Amino acid sequence: MAEGGRAGSLTFGQVVIGPPGSGKTSYCGAMREFLQQLGRSVALVNLDPANEQLPWRCELDIGELVALPDVMDALALGPNGGLLYCMEYLAANGDWLRERLRQLRGHYVLFDCPGQVELYTHHRALRDVFAQLTKWGFRLAAVHLVDSHYCTDPGKFISVLCTSLSTMLHVELPHVNVLSKMDLIEQYGRLAFNLDYYTEVLDLSYLVDHLASDPFFRNFRRLNEKLVEVIQDYSLVSFVPLNIQDKQSMHRVVQAVDKANGFCFGDQERRGLEVLMSAAVGADFHFSSTLAVQEKYVQSQDKGVEEEVMDL
């Protein structure tokens, strides 16, 4: 049996979730290419009926079962209502999904999911689909992508933390939160704290103090303190930084996901990984993910400061 299904009848994979524009589809394409280089047989499943023109080939497309434009026309629904209906229709047609997924046994499966946040915070349809997949022998981890530019705005970052926590509690899958598009973070402005403050979600009281300097947020200090207390009391949210152009970064995400869904490295895959990483970045690539990204970020910021000084 292939790498993705070597543990008996189990099939390992990822459900890729997150808000619109967080990079889910790009992540799925890059992750498939990376995993194939490691020797895994990978299948892509599109569960987003709004994805009409996919940039990559998928082995299974929800469009074969239900199409969002048809639902909107037939039921006079908007995009959000139509998407919720499509997910409920998918959950009600589990037999169709199960039969199509039988053909993917032996593969490592990537599920590209819709971007509507309510599907992961309080709506039941997609959670029911994930529960069905678990009963069918799939061992999945939820990979929740969040655009890294939210780190540059303390108010938005607190909102992201609340959304991530709500998603983790609602989806009920092993969870890996990912800060995507780290290669673009320097374009969004200077961070108030070091990157590890955001990835490890350290003492958030400093973030509340930072917000107090804004006249608008000063009026909501008590509310922000309570939100921060909820996040810290659960102590569940942390992030893995990701740049899909960087093989080191991709490898660290794969390691986190493999721990979450129970996939174990085999000897053959380990050798393939060593060859791949040695060819790409040299043999010594075992260092902290956050420190590596932070170093690149600081260098880009210092360069920007130097250019500003030269202009003056």
Side-chain angles (χ1 to χ4, degrees), residues 138-152:
F138 283 83
R139 291 297 175 263
L140 304 172
V143 179
H144 184 207
L145 299 184
V146 175
D147 197 318
S148 60
H149 87 269
Y150 290 119
C151 294
T152 61

Side-chain angles (χ1 to χ4, degrees), residues 12 28 42 46 53 87 123 173 181 194 218 228-229 236 243 251 297 307 309:
F12 293 91
C28 287
V42 183
N46 176 42
Q53 295 181 343
M87 292 299 100
H123 197 268
L173 283 176
K181 306 180 183 179
N194 287 337
R218 189 181 302 130
V228 162
E229 287 179 11
L236 292 176
N243 172 10
H251 170 225
Y297 172 75
E307 291 177 349
V309 172

Side-chain angles (χ1 to χ4, degrees), residues 117-131:
V117 175
E118 57 265 34
L119 289 171
Y120 313 115
T121 56
H122 57 275
H123 197 268
R124 293 184 54 90
L126 204 53
R127 183 179 71 173
D128 292 342
V129 171
F130 296 157

Side-chain angles (χ1 to χ4, degrees), residues 237-306:
V237 185
S238 62
F239 296 94
V240 180
L242 172 65
N243 172 10
I244 62 174
Q245 308 297 330
D246 183 358
K247 286 184 169 58
Q248 293 180 14
S249 181
M250 293 290 289
H251 170 225
R252 287 186 287 266
V253 173
V254 169
Q255 283 186 314
V257 174
D258 285 346
K259 290 180 182 179
N261 65 14
F263 187 94
C264 297
F265 281 131
D267 291 338
Q268 181 177 358
E269 182 173 278
R270 184 179 295 110
R271 288 195 298 270
L273 175 64
E274 291 172 354
V275 171
L276 172 65
M277 298 304 296
S278 296
V281 297
D284 184 17
F285 61 90
H286 300 286
F287 53 87
S288 168
S289 61
T290 302
L291 288 178
V293 177
Q294 176 70 20
E295 183 179 0
K296 294 179 182 178
Y297 172 75
V298 170
Q299 289 176 350
S300 65
Q301 290 295 318
D302 291 343
K303 182 178 179 181
V305 172
E306 291 176 359

Side-chain angles (χ1 to χ4, degrees), residues 88-269:
E88 292 172 353
Y89 192 79
L90 175 64
N93 287 271
D95 292 341
W96 174 88
L97 181 61
R98 186 175 188 179
E99 185 60 31
R100 295 302 306 275
L101 288 174
R102 288 184 191 276
Q103 305 171 21
L104 304 182
R105 287 297 183 182
H107 290 73
Y108 187 100
V109 186
L110 300 174
F111 295 87
D112 187 5
C113 299
Q116 270 62 17
V117 175
E118 57 265 34
L119 289 171
Y120 313 115
T121 56
H122 57 275
H123 197 268
R124 293 184 54 90
L126 204 53
R127 183 179 71 173
D128 292 342
V129 171
F130 296 157
Q132 286 180 317
L133 292 173
T134 301
K135 292 179 181 178
W136 299 338
F138 283 83
R139 291 297 175 263
L140 304 172
V143 179
H144 184 207
L145 299 184
V146 175
D147 197 318
S148 60
H149 87 269
Y150 290 119
C151 294
T152 61
D153 188 317
K156 290 181 180 178
F157 186 65
I158 291 179
S159 176
V160 163
L161 293 176
C162 292
T163 302
S164 299
L165 178 59
S166 178
T167 300
M168 295 175 73
L169 298 177
H170 181 75
V171 171
E172 297 180 348
L173 283 176
H175 211 91
V176 177
N177 292 305
V178 174
L179 281 178
S180 63
K181 306 180 183 179
M182 289 302 301
D183 53 319
L184 303 177
I185 190 171
E186 65 270 11
Q187 299 180 12
Y188 302 132
R190 190 177 297 273
L191 297 179
F193 305 98
N194 287 337
L195 186 61
D196 60 341
Y197 179 87
Y198 301 92
T199 57
E200 301 300 326
V201 189
L202 302 176
D203 190 351
L204 296 178
S205 61
Y206 294 108
L207 201 63
V208 175
D209 293 337
H210 187 72
L211 276 172
S213 61
D214 188 309
F216 175 79
F217 287 107
R218 189 181 302 130
N219 298 327
F220 301 95
R221 181 184 179 94
R222 184 62 176 167
L223 173 62
N224 289 324
E225 288 176 347
K226 290 302 179 182
L227 290 174
V228 162
E229 287 179 11
V230 171
I231 297 166
Q232 294 188 146
D233 286 347
Y234 277 93
S235 189
L236 292 176
V237 185
S238 62
F239 296 94
V240 180
L242 172 65
N243 172 10
I244 62 174
Q245 308 297 330
D246 183 358
K247 286 184 169 58
Q248 293 180 14
S249 181
M250 293 290 289
H251 170 225
R252 287 186 287 266
V253 173
V254 169
Q255 283 186 314
V257 174
D258 285 346
K259 290 180 182 179
N261 65 14
F263 187 94
C264 297
F265 281 131
D267 291 338
Q268 181 177 358
E269 182 173 278

